[in-house]
Amino acid sequence: MHGHAFAEWLRRALHGEMAYMTRTARQRLHPGELVPWARSVISVALNYNTPFTRNAADGQLRGWISRYAWGDDYHDVMQAKLDRLLAFVRSEAGASVPGRAFVDAGPVLDRESGAHAGIGWFGKNTNLLSMKVGSFFVLGELFLGLSLEPDRPVRDRCGQCRLCLDACPTNAFVGPYVLDARKCISYLTIELKGPIPRDLRPLMGTHIFGCDICQDVCPYNTKCRPTHEAAFQHDKTSTPRS
């Protein structure tokens, strides 16, 4: 589904300085080489949306930190939940069932897995979109040495909408479904290790860690339910998490 697009994205060097993408490309495209014992993948999503927006800054000039980094480290939060899920699977199917969890920290195409599992579809802003929970969610995968009945993917529901493409202040989208990471504010404030290109600096506004603009304007996020996960509440934030 997404493998060919990912390979072409790398070929065009749209990943910028994220060299780990090319180093692990084969494993991402061929997960059987990473976990040869796996028979199924359980893909899960965890809502991190909170109602606080950039427009609610009390008229003060404040640096903007992407929502996913407001609370506790999502890697730890999701990992703990996947560990409990694996324990449940083993309690039901046998303690010897092989399993390994990934939370955005391994060579896994997580959006590909999520799309195959029916969590959502690839939006024009390259995020996975769900009619139920929008796109403010993090993904996790549990690879199992157990055969399970697969779910069905959902169809693309972006239609003619291009709000996300037009809203990007740095014009980071080459076109629908294609992001030039080298211009993306999230990349510039998190992944890029050197200086931010001078021509992009005036376009970034007050963003200092990540960016939510292309998600904020998405119609599927306008009625998205806030998260009930206490670990993601913004009043717990001390330092941003990458």
Side-chain angles (χ1 to χ4, degrees), residues 63-242:
W64 182 258
I65 296 174
S66 185
R67 282 178 181 78
Y68 81 86
W70 285 358
D72 294 344
D73 192 324
Y74 72 90
H75 299 88
D76 297 335
V77 177
M78 179 68 89
Q79 183 69 49
K81 293 180 183 295
L82 287 173
D83 288 344
R84 292 197 294 272
L85 177 58
L86 178 57
F88 170 77
V89 171
R90 286 173 171 167
S91 71
E92 295 293 314
S96 62
V97 174
R100 183 177 177 182
F102 291 92
V103 185
D104 195 25
V108 176
L109 292 179
D110 51 0
R111 289 174 300 161
E112 175 82 347
S113 297
H116 277 292
I119 290 177
W121 69 92
F122 283 96
K124 291 181 181 179
N125 62 2
T126 72
N127 286 306
L128 211 59
L129 293 176
S130 165
M131 289 190 68
K132 295 181 178 180
V133 294
S135 64
F136 288 113
F137 55 79
V138 293
L139 293 167
E141 295 78 41
L142 179 60
F143 285 77
L144 293 172
L146 184 68
S147 295
L148 300 173
E149 187 71 22
D151 289 299
R152 294 181 179 180
V154 295
R155 67 178 178 86
D156 186 324
R157 296 178 182 273
C158 285
Q160 300 300 311
C161 180
R162 52 175 293 121
L163 290 175
C164 58
L165 308 182
D166 296 336
C168 180
T170 56
N171 295 312
F173 294 104
V174 176
Y177 312 103
V178 183
L179 173 72
D180 185 347
R182 298 168 299 181
K183 294 183 178 180
C184 176
I185 293 176
S186 286
Y187 169 84
L188 295 171
T189 56
I190 299 174
E191 297 285 354
L192 183 64
K193 304 308 177 186
I196 295 173
R198 290 185 178 275
D199 61 318
L200 295 178
R201 296 177 191 177
L203 307 176
M204 295 173 57
T206 59
H207 292 84
I208 60 174
F209 192 89
C211 177
D212 293 331
I213 291 176
C214 68
Q215 296 188 83
D216 282 334
V217 301
C218 178
Y220 289 103
N221 280 324
T222 57
K223 297 182 180 180
C224 179
R225 296 189 302 272
T227 182
H228 295 297
E229 177 59 60
F232 291 155
Q233 299 305 316
H234 71 272
D235 58 353
K236 293 174 62 61
T237 302
S238 54
T239 56
R241 305 291 184 177
S242 61

Side-chain angles (χ1 to χ4, degrees), residues 2-11 21 24-25 28-29 109:
H2 181 58
H4 293 299
F6 174 68
E8 176 64 12
W9 185 69
L10 293 177
R11 188 192 69 78
M21 288 286 189
T24 61
R28 293 174 188 272
L29 294 170
L109 292 179

